[in-house]
Amino acid sequence: MIIQIKPDRVGSPEVAELCAFYETHPTEADGATLVITSGSVKGLDPKFLNLAERVHVTDGDMQLSDKRWLEGRSSTVNGLTVGDGTTTAMIAGPCAVEDREQIEKTADFLVGLGVKLFRAGAYKPRTSPYSFQGLGLEGLKILREVCDARGLAVVTEVRDATHAAEVLELADVAQIGAKAMYDHGVLKACGDSRKTILLKRGFGTTLKEFVQAAEFILSRGNPNVMLCERGIRTFETGTRFTLDLCGVAYVKEKTNLPVILDPSHAMGYRYGVSDLARACTAMGVDGLLIEVHPTPDKAKSDAAQQLTFEMFQALWESLPPVAAAVGRRIA
Amino acid sequence: MIIQIKPDRVGSPEVAELCAFYETHPTEADGATLVITSGSVKGLDPKFLNLAERVHVTDGDMQLSDKRWLEGRSSTVNGLTVGDGTTTAMIAGPCAVEDREQIEKTADFLVGLGVKLFRAGAYKPRTSPYSFQGLGLEGLKILREVCDARGLAVVTEVRDATHAAEVLELADVAQIGAKAMYDHGVLKACGDSRKTILLKRGFGTTLKEFVQAAEFILSRGNPNVMLCERGIRTFETGTRFTLDLCGVAYVKEKTNLPVILDPSHAMGYRYGVSDLARACTAMGVDGLLIEVHPTPDKAKSDAAQQLTFEMFQALWESLPPVAAAVGRRIA
Amino acid sequence: MIIQIKPDRVGSPEVAELCAFYETHPTEADGATLVITSGSVKGLDPKFLNLAERVHVTDGDMQLSDKRWLEGRSSTVNGLTVGDGTTTAMIAGPCAVEDREQIEKTADFLVGLGVKLFRAGAYKPRTSPYSFQGLGLEGLKILREVCDARGLAVVTEVRDATHAAEVLELADVAQIGAKAMYDHGVLKACGDSRKTILLKRGFGTTLKEFVQAAEFILSRGNPNVMLCERGIRTFETGTRFTLDLCGVAYVKEKTNLPVILDPSHAMGYRYGVSDLARACTAMGVDGLLIEVHPTPDKAKSDAAQQLTFEMFQALWESLPPVAAAVGRRIA
Amino acid sequence: MIIQIKPDRVGSPEVAELCAFYETHPTEADGATLVITSGSVKGLDPKFLNLAERVHVTDGDMQLSDKRWLEGRSSTVNGLTVGDGTTTAMIAGPCAVEDREQIEKTADFLVGLGVKLFRAGAYKPRTSPYSFQGLGLEGLKILREVCDARGLAVVTEVRDATHAAEVLELADVAQIGAKAMYDHGVLKACGDSRKTILLKRGFGTTLKEFVQAAEFILSRGNPNVMLCERGIRTFETGTRFTLDLCGVAYVKEKTNLPVILDPSHAMGYRYGVSDLARACTAMGVDGLLIEVHPTPDKAKSDAAQQLTFEMFQALWESLPPVAAAVGRRIA
């Protein structure tokens, strides 16, 4: 239940009493002072009714992200508004920052096509300690400089809480990866920022938990959260993961959050990415996250799934009519 | 490995020797006499080379369905060719035959829109013995009569081996459901027929096993097999199943079989079906299987997921531009 | 809901009226005439109260298998009672009947140790059409003869409905395999028999569906059903399947059915089978199903998971203290 | 591949050359200077042979945890050695520190039985921001004081990198929870400590990734790592998770790490925990992690699964004969 406190009662002893009653505390979010309780489905206790400007009762932990609380949310990055229902935004770039030349080459290619949002990871959340772990802060700086020089926005990942501040300072969009999705240190840092957060679903994460992670950020006052479906882990190993478009239908129906799709990680192989990207576009989603690399076979991570420039260009050119068929444009 | 026997050596003692050597037997399929072995990746033993018109070595159990053996397969049903790359065929109708009036109403509605393939189940594979089990042969006859009167093709399910003959006689397309996919009795009956077979993937079935079930049918000489992805079972229970479009990319890339998508069963809820159907269409698939019912809320099975006539019509009208965007037409 | 009809009202027009009201029909099971309805949680309509000897209301499809309907069920096979809480029965033998000598050798070995229940498959439900499919009726006869000569009971599998009658005639225990678990043809044949049925859980099957399949058999009047957990399919592929002991705890708590564990198929590798078999025994289960073969590496199926005679003997000798620690004996 | 550098060559320019060649750096672990490479299966390049005391070639990322590198590892906590094959250690306590009284009560009860390792969480990794998040540092101090007064060791969780230092200072065993298993910040802090680390498997984590997370810690020089299986997420929702004993067989066979089992989280319901704990014991594992609470129904987290004192005592008394049957003792 969300209790929106009347502006003139904010800070009053009755609000403190209300918080004690529900064992919680007030939050500043969505332009108001809110008191949010978990799983209170009975509605506000009558003795507190005079404190409330609005009461929104939900039956679970989908609260600030609930479409019935707020119809829609959108974020504007680099002049591009993501989540207003008119656009499918392209976020493209290599898996990882490997060196300046690779980033410049890819950025030049993408700027040439008209792409506005550039992705690449500086802190790589590799499972094995013996794999390439990313260039860290040095990579982040390369990314910032190369993108600044070309008018591209930087979308990059926070791997863990120890460097969250760096990423939140230097990136335009901070991505929380699938493996960091439950990390309270990261979620809190992102909730205390006002940067746009691209929250990826963990590969073993239910839709309910996915939305709860977004609530962590929203309830700390950052309204700029976008959900990203990137494939879940199932018994099928013929592909890397299983892209969950049924889950996308679910979050589109129930939540107010923009939805971005990452077919590259889901598929794990170049050959299916473009078909999947067109399918995602026809679902009417707010963005696509696509990996592209100058020489994918030599990439230090995700070599099998990154598109070549040629493949990416063919995909890019095929998307506008698909988007148009569902009333959107590609940007 | 597939060894295509030279026509003039068919029936010779050397072929018997070859079969004994590989512990297998000859098959009539794809217009020739074939000897198929499992997992022989070394190529044909030199002593048998003079028997072979063509040798196709595969590294697994994808043999007759392998795109490198035969580029593509298609089936023509009711004048409509499914699988030739030009068309996405609509197969629509209610989950189950409940009574003649319900079938007539739905058939009239669909014929009016221009749909050519009608689906409904007479033998329902219900998990609980205490649920509606379908009308059986009586339902099958209603289906046949109603469709004959309207020029619709009948697509209906074989539940188990005890009534396979009935379905194969009366249907235009025999559907093997997700729960019957491993049933040797059903697979053999379908392989010995020449009717078109719509083979659904089991919800716990790997892509490899899915293709192996198709091989059962192909290797008995029936080339008319279509694969149907209908959602797999994963940890996510917010939706009924998880539609595996990564798996669809896999079978499109590797096999020669037409691919049909069933978003209704995957989603389990009306609200997401149309979005998913458009996504499937943009993948460039050969057909869609959509459940529609005159009064879904009163349906005896799958009440939550069947579309109303209004929803179906809106979907139907939205599909042509999506199909056109990927070079196909809806039929 | 189960409505047990008073003996003197069986066949009366009021019972017909009751059945029409609940859209169902009477069943002979557990020594009485029962009318079973799905999901009627409100209790019997008052107008029918005088027809009922006993009414049992459940909230789902666990009805005849519900522990609150009947405390426990057991089956006696070859003089051994399985399911009475005192014994963990060993069912052992090779995956498949390959030839008479292999069966004789294994049977001699197992009889020598004191094992009473012998398992081997004659109809193999292989996924690939190009793999060994079993010897069929010939294998079944070998099995029967070899076991008869040694006082062993025959436990063997029904693959599909086309040969259910043969297996039900010749076996002592008919096994329904994981892939046949939803097969109405097989379930009905087994329900109409009075042989003991070993029902394996499908690898993609929920506990609820597993119990529903048992209800199919019980509701046709055969009370001799045993559940067998053999591993479910999960994202983990380092082992063949994942043995679900949490699920075993669930069925032990809620159902009245004997529970048999098959660690061989779950593990898929010889090395873990004995450890798992001891774990299962310490759970307090009613039986173990273990694959053992004279020369596992040469087996025509399941070569990696069958135990050697030496491994089996070591396991067999280690089990009595484990069973004793939980108040059971091995038989 | 692990290359153990000869003591007299440590720090030499040739070692730097070797590291450059394999794109890696030296590590101090297992009492030596090691150079570890990922996936180098060809063996050491001959030109470096004179640098190596020992070379261990593996085919994956299981390196320092590989049983063929080091036969076994064990950790001594509170005078109890875990992992030497003689003992199954009991680690018990409530899910969370709720207040001093609850911790004292539980500690008194467990000390009375002879338990030596006490678990409770101060930093709770709750999925919802609206649930109880733990008492944090205050809880950690309560835990330390209560345990110190009774001679109990403290086992408690690191939730994220922001408080890793606190936990590593105050706990005897730092637990990395299922949701933090991929957190580089946490893994690095634990690897740089020499405290014993109880690493829980993520519920969506493969065995391979699980072992890789242990490698993160081992390769930073901390040899005191114990693996904890606590249930994986599968399609089955009748129980909270699915305890993966096949996976336990796998890690027992292949790795040198002690294995602890947590049946409480896997089951999610009190009723099955004791049966599962006995099963785990009969597998021959190195420890059990069991949740117990003075008044479980009133617990602020995991209310359904914590045992009552009575249930725990009955379990505790039932374990010695099970352990004895597999050559171990409970401690």
Side-chain angles (χ1 to χ4, degrees):
Chain A
M1 176 171 55
I2 307 175
I3 307 144
Q4 181 175 338
I5 303 298
K6 286 182 181 162
D8 62 354
R9 307 303 294 272
V10 169
S12 69
E14 291 89 345
V15 170
E17 199 190 324
L18 165 72
C19 289
F21 183 82
Y22 286 112
E23 297 186 49
T24 184
H25 48 81
T27 295
E28 301 298 316
D30 291 336
T33 296
L34 309 175
V35 174
I36 307 180
T37 69
S38 181
S40 301
V41 296
K42 284 178 291 191
L44 184 58
D45 190 281
K47 67 183 163 201
F48 298 119
L49 274 178
N50 64 326
L51 297 174
E53 177 103 2
R54 182 183 167 200
V55 176
H56 177 65
V57 179
T58 63
D59 56 355
D61 286 317
M62 194 184 293
Q63 308 232 20
L64 295 169
S65 58
D66 186 346
K67 202 173 245 176
R68 293 164 301 177
W69 164 252
L70 193 70
E71 178 60 25
R73 293 182 187 274
S74 63
S75 269
T76 300
V77 182
N78 206 15
L80 185 60
T81 299
V82 181
D84 67 358
T86 67
T87 306
T88 300
M90 174 60 77
I91 307 168
C95 174
V97 182
E98 297 171 6
D99 55 51
R100 183 177 293 266
E101 192 198 340
Q102 166 236 20
I103 294 300
E104 286 179 337
K105 243 181 164 164
T106 314
D108 285 340
F109 167 68
L110 291 171
V111 159
L113 294 178
V115 170
K116 292 188 184 64
L117 309 175
F118 189 84
R119 64 142 287 152
Y123 301 90
K124 299 307 299 174
R126 306 305 297 282
T127 308
S128 164
Y130 311 122
S131 301
F132 174 62
Q133 312 282 316
L135 300 184
L137 184 56
E138 182 200 347
L140 196 53
K141 287 177 180 165
I142 292 175
L143 201 51
R144 185 71 270 168
E145 290 165 19
V146 171
C147 286
D148 277 349
R150 287 157 184 82
L152 284 165
V154 169
V155 181
T156 195
E157 182 162 0
V158 185
R159 189 179 56 203
D160 61 67
T162 60
H163 58 257
E166 293 169 9
V167 173
L168 285 163
E169 189 197 330
L170 288 171
D172 297 297
V173 177
Q175 176 181 316
I176 302 179
K179 291 172 181 164
M181 207 211 71
Y182 298 102
D183 189 324
H184 286 215
V186 170
L187 290 170
K188 284 176 182 167
C190 289
D192 292 338
S193 161
R194 293 298 174 268
K195 281 278 169 78
T196 298
I197 309 300
L198 180 72
L199 177 68
K200 282 196 160 187
R201 180 182 184 184
F203 43 70
T205 297
T206 60
L207 293 166
K208 192 183 159 194
E209 290 174 353
F210 188 22
V211 171
Q212 285 173 330
E215 292 279 338
F216 257 100
I217 301 167
L218 295 169
S219 65
R220 293 181 89 88
N222 186 353
N224 299 306
V225 185
M226 307 192 296
L227 298 178
C228 178
E229 161 64 27
R230 43 77 73 212
I232 58 173
R233 187 165 268 170
T234 69
F235 64 79
E236 182 53 61
T237 57
T239 60
R240 190 173 181 193
F241 291 100
T242 301
L243 191 67
D244 182 11
L245 291 193
C246 291
V248 170
Y250 176 99
V251 294
K252 279 186 65 182
E253 175 78 8
K254 298 185 188 294
T255 83
N256 52 35
L257 299 162
V259 182
I260 310 296
L261 271 286
D262 174 356
S264 298
H265 279 87
M267 188 69 206
Y269 299 97
R270 261 185 282 299
Y271 71 77
V273 172
S274 299
D275 262 2
L276 287 167
R278 284 185 284 269
C280 296
T281 303
M283 277 290 290
V285 298
D286 300 301
L288 295 173
L289 198 63
I290 304 285
E291 287 190 345
V292 54
H293 191 283
T295 49
D297 287 332
K298 294 181 189 158
K300 292 193 176 176
S301 54
D302 288 355
Q305 79 199 26
Q306 303 196 55
L307 298 188
T308 62
F309 286 2
E310 292 67 27
M311 290 177 90
F312 184 85
Q313 183 161 352
L315 167 62
W316 175 256
E317 289 167 0
S318 74
L319 287 174
V322 181
V326 295
R328 295 197 177 221
R329 65 188 186 88
I330 297 291
Chain B
M1 178 171 53
I2 308 176
I3 307 144
Q4 181 173 339
I5 303 298
K6 285 181 182 163
D8 62 352
R9 305 305 293 271
V10 169
S12 69
E14 290 89 347
V15 170
E17 203 189 322
L18 165 73
C19 290
F21 184 83
Y22 285 111
E23 297 187 49
T24 183
H25 49 81
T27 295
E28 301 297 318
D30 290 337
T33 296
L34 309 174
V35 174
I36 307 178
T37 69
S38 179
S40 301
V41 296
K42 286 176 290 189
L44 184 58
D45 191 281
K47 69 182 161 199
F48 299 119
L49 274 177
N50 64 328
L51 297 174
E53 178 102 3
R54 181 184 168 200
V55 176
H56 177 66
V57 178
T58 64
D59 56 354
D61 285 318
M62 195 185 290
Q63 307 234 18
L64 295 169
S65 58
D66 186 346
K67 202 173 245 177
R68 296 163 298 176
W69 164 251
L70 192 70
E71 178 60 27
R73 292 181 187 275
S74 64
S75 269
T76 301
V77 181
N78 206 16
L80 185 59
T81 299
V82 181
D84 66 359
T86 67
T87 306
T88 299
M90 174 59 78
I91 307 170
C95 174
V97 182
E98 297 172 6
D99 56 50
R100 182 176 293 266
E101 194 197 338
Q102 166 235 19
I103 294 301
E104 286 179 337
K105 246 179 160 163
T106 315
D108 284 341
F109 167 68
L110 293 171
V111 160
L113 295 177
V115 171
K116 291 189 186 63
L117 308 175
F118 189 84
R119 64 142 286 155
Y123 301 89
K124 299 307 299 173
R126 306 306 295 281
T127 308
S128 163
Y130 312 122
S131 300
F132 175 62
Q133 311 283 315
L135 299 184
L137 183 56
E138 184 201 347
L140 196 53
K141 286 179 180 166
I142 292 175
L143 201 52
R144 187 70 268 173
E145 290 165 19
V146 171
C147 286
D148 277 348
R150 287 156 185 83
L152 284 164
V154 169
V155 180
T156 196
E157 182 162 0
V158 184
R159 189 178 56 204
D160 62 66
T162 60
H163 58 257
E166 293 168 10
V167 173
L168 286 163
E169 189 197 328
L170 288 171
D172 297 298
V173 176
Q175 175 182 317
I176 301 179
K179 292 172 181 164
M181 206 212 72
Y182 298 103
D183 188 326
H184 287 214
V186 169
L187 291 170
K188 284 176 182 167
C190 290
D192 292 338
S193 160
R194 291 301 174 266
K195 282 280 169 78
T196 298
I197 309 300
L198 180 72
L199 178 69
K200 283 194 159 187
R201 181 181 183 185
F203 42 71
T205 297
T206 61
L207 293 165
K208 192 183 159 194
E209 290 174 353
F210 187 23
V211 171
Q212 286 173 329
E215 291 279 337
F216 256 101
I217 301 167
L218 296 169
S219 66
R220 293 183 88 88
N222 186 354
N224 299 304
V225 185
M226 308 190 297
L227 298 179
C228 178
E229 161 63 29
R230 43 76 73 207
I232 58 172
R233 186 165 270 170
T234 69
F235 64 78
E236 182 53 62
T237 57
T239 59
R240 190 173 181 193
F241 291 98
T242 301
L243 192 67
D244 182 10
L245 291 193
C246 291
V248 170
Y250 176 99
V251 293
K252 278 186 67 183
E253 176 77 7
K254 298 185 187 294
T255 82
N256 52 35
L257 298 163
V259 181
I260 311 295
L261 269 287
D262 173 358
S264 299
H265 278 87
M267 188 69 205
Y269 299 98
R270 257 185 285 299
Y271 70 76
V273 172
S274 299
D275 261 3
L276 287 167
R278 283 185 284 269
C280 296
T281 302
M283 281 285 292
V285 298
D286 300 300
L288 296 171
L289 197 64
I290 304 285
E291 286 190 346
V292 53
H293 190 283
T295 49
D297 287 333
K298 294 182 187 156
K300 293 192 174 174
S301 53
D302 287 355
Q305 81 198 28
Q306 303 196 53
L307 297 188
T308 62
F309 285 2
E310 290 67 28
M311 291 177 89
F312 184 85
Q313 184 160 351
L315 167 61
W316 176 256
E317 289 167 1
S318 74
L319 288 173
V322 181
V326 295
R328 295 198 177 221
R329 64 186 187 87
I330 297 291
Chain C
M1 177 171 54
I2 308 175
I3 307 143
Q4 180 174 340
I5 303 298
K6 285 180 182 164
D8 62 353
R9 307 304 293 273
V10 169
S12 69
E14 289 89 347
V15 170
E17 202 189 323
L18 165 72
C19 290
F21 184 83
Y22 285 111
E23 297 187 48
T24 183
H25 48 82
T27 295
E28 303 298 317
D30 291 335
T33 297
L34 309 174
V35 174
I36 308 178
T37 69
S38 180
S40 301
V41 297
K42 286 176 292 190
L44 184 58
D45 191 280
K47 69 183 163 200
F48 299 119
L49 274 178
N50 65 326
L51 296 175
E53 179 102 4
R54 182 183 167 201
V55 176
H56 177 66
V57 178
T58 63
D59 57 355
D61 286 318
M62 194 184 291
Q63 307 233 18
L64 295 169
S65 58
D66 187 345
K67 203 173 245 177
R68 295 164 300 176
W69 163 253
L70 193 69
E71 178 59 26
R73 293 181 187 275
S74 64
S75 269
T76 301
V77 182
N78 206 15
L80 185 59
T81 299
V82 181
D84 66 359
T86 67
T87 306
T88 299
M90 174 59 78
I91 307 170
C95 174
V97 182
E98 296 172 6
D99 55 52
R100 183 177 293 266
E101 194 198 337
Q102 166 236 21
I103 294 300
E104 285 178 338
K105 246 180 161 163
T106 315
D108 284 341
F109 167 68
L110 291 171
V111 159
L113 294 178
V115 171
K116 291 187 185 65
L117 308 175
F118 188 85
R119 65 142 287 152
Y123 301 90
K124 299 307 300 173
R126 306 307 294 282
T127 307
S128 163
Y130 312 121
S131 300
F132 174 62
Q133 310 283 314
L135 299 185
L137 183 55
E138 184 201 346
L140 196 54
K141 286 178 180 166
I142 292 175
L143 201 53
R144 187 70 268 172
E145 289 165 20
V146 172
C147 286
D148 277 349
R150 287 155 184 84
L152 285 164
V154 169
V155 180
T156 196
E157 183 163 0
V158 185
R159 189 179 57 203
D160 61 67
T162 60
H163 57 256
E166 291 168 10
V167 173
L168 286 164
E169 189 198 329
L170 288 171
D172 297 299
V173 176
Q175 175 182 318
I176 302 179
K179 291 173 181 166
M181 205 212 72
Y182 297 102
D183 187 326
H184 287 214
V186 169
L187 290 170
K188 284 176 181 166
C190 289
D192 293 338
S193 160
R194 291 301 173 266
K195 282 279 169 78
T196 298
I197 309 300
L198 180 72
L199 178 69
K200 283 194 160 187
R201 181 182 183 185
F203 42 71
T205 298
T206 61
L207 293 165
K208 191 183 159 195
E209 290 175 352
F210 188 21
V211 172
Q212 285 172 330
E215 292 278 337
F216 256 101
I217 300 167
L218 295 169
S219 66
R220 293 181 88 89
N222 186 354
N224 300 304
V225 184
M226 308 191 297
L227 298 178
C228 178
E229 161 63 28
R230 43 77 72 208
I232 58 173
R233 187 165 269 171
T234 69
F235 63 79
E236 182 52 62
T237 57
T239 59
R240 188 173 182 192
F241 292 98
T242 300
L243 192 66
D244 182 10
L245 290 193
C246 291
V248 170
Y250 176 99
V251 293
K252 278 186 66 182
E253 175 78 7
K254 298 185 187 293
T255 82
N256 52 35
L257 298 164
V259 181
I260 311 295
L261 269 288
D262 173 358
S264 298
H265 279 87
M267 188 68 205
Y269 299 98
R270 258 183 286 297
Y271 71 76
V273 172
S274 298
D275 262 2
L276 287 168
R278 284 185 284 268
C280 296
T281 302
M283 279 288 290
V285 298
D286 300 300
L288 296 172
L289 198 63
I290 304 285
E291 286 190 345
V292 54
H293 190 283
T295 50
D297 287 333
K298 294 182 188 158
K300 294 192 174 176
S301 53
D302 287 355
Q305 80 197 28
Q306 304 197 53
L307 298 188
T308 61
F309 285 2
E310 291 67 28
M311 291 177 89
F312 184 86
Q313 185 161 350
L315 167 61
W316 175 256
E317 288 167 2
S318 75
L319 288 173
V322 181
V326 295
R328 295 199 177 222
R329 64 186 188 87
I330 297 291
Chain D
M1 175 171 56
I2 307 175
I3 307 144
Q4 181 174 339
I5 303 297
K6 285 182 183 162
D8 62 354
R9 307 303 294 273
V10 169
S12 68
E14 292 89 345
V15 170
E17 199 189 325
L18 165 72
C19 289
F21 184 83
Y22 286 112
E23 297 186 50
T24 184
H25 49 81
T27 296
E28 301 298 316
D30 292 335
T33 296
L34 309 174
V35 174
I36 307 179
T37 69
S38 180
S40 301
V41 297
K42 286 177 290 190
L44 184 58
D45 191 279
K47 67 183 164 202
F48 299 119
L49 273 177
N50 64 325
L51 297 174
E53 177 103 3
R54 180 182 170 203
V55 176
H56 177 66
V57 178
T58 63
D59 56 355
D61 286 317
M62 195 184 292
Q63 308 232 21
L64 295 169
S65 58
D66 187 346
K67 202 172 247 177
R68 296 163 301 176
W69 164 251
L70 193 70
E71 178 59 26
R73 293 181 187 275
S74 64
S75 269
T76 300
V77 182
N78 206 14
L80 185 59
T81 300
V82 182
D84 66 359
T86 67
T87 305
T88 299
M90 175 60 77
I91 307 169
C95 174
V97 182
E98 297 172 6
D99 55 51
R100 182 176 293 267
E101 192 198 339
Q102 166 236 22
I103 294 300
E104 287 179 336
K105 243 179 162 164
T106 314
D108 285 340
F109 167 68
L110 292 171
V111 159
L113 294 178
V115 171
K116 291 188 186 62
L117 308 174
F118 189 84
R119 63 142 287 152
Y123 300 89
K124 299 306 299 174
R126 306 306 296 282
T127 308
S128 163
Y130 311 121
S131 300
F132 175 63
Q133 311 282 316
L135 299 184
L137 184 56
E138 182 200 347
L140 196 53
K141 287 178 179 165
I142 292 175
L143 202 51
R144 186 70 269 170
E145 290 165 19
V146 171
C147 286
D148 277 349
R150 288 157 185 82
L152 285 164
V154 169
V155 181
T156 195
E157 183 162 359
V158 185
R159 188 179 57 202
D160 61 68
T162 59
H163 57 257
E166 293 168 9
V167 173
L168 285 163
E169 188 197 330
L170 288 171
D172 298 296
V173 176
Q175 175 181 316
I176 302 179
K179 291 172 181 166
M181 206 212 71
Y182 298 102
D183 188 325
H184 287 214
V186 170
L187 291 169
K188 284 175 181 168
C190 290
D192 292 339
S193 161
R194 292 300 174 267
K195 282 279 169 79
T196 298
I197 309 299
L198 180 72
L199 177 68
K200 283 194 160 188
R201 180 182 184 184
F203 42 71
T205 298
T206 60
L207 294 165
K208 192 183 158 193
E209 290 174 354
F210 188 22
V211 171
Q212 285 173 330
E215 292 279 337
F216 257 101
I217 301 167
L218 296 169
S219 65
R220 293 182 89 87
N222 186 353
N224 300 305
V225 185
M226 309 191 295
L227 298 178
C228 178
E229 160 64 28
R230 44 75 74 209
I232 57 173
R233 187 165 268 170
T234 69
F235 63 79
E236 182 54 60
T237 57
T239 60
R240 190 172 180 192
F241 291 100
T242 300
L243 191 67
D244 182 11
L245 291 192
C246 291
V248 170
Y250 176 99
V251 293
K252 279 186 64 181
E253 175 78 7
K254 298 185 187 294
T255 83
N256 52 35
L257 298 162
V259 182
I260 311 296
L261 270 286
D262 173 358
S264 298
H265 279 87
M267 188 69 206
Y269 299 98
R270 260 185 281 300
Y271 71 77
V273 172
S274 299
D275 262 2
L276 287 168
R278 285 184 284 269
C280 296
T281 303
M283 278 288 291
V285 298
D286 300 300
L288 295 172
L289 198 64
I290 305 285
E291 287 190 346
V292 54
H293 191 283
T295 49
D297 287 333
K298 294 182 188 157
K300 292 192 176 177
S301 54
D302 288 354
Q305 80 198 26
Q306 302 196 55
L307 297 189
T308 61
F309 285 2
E310 291 68 28
M311 289 176 90
F312 184 86
Q313 183 160 350
L315 167 62
W316 176 256
E317 290 168 359
S318 75
L319 288 174
V322 181
V326 296
R328 295 198 177 222
R329 65 187 187 88
I330 297 292

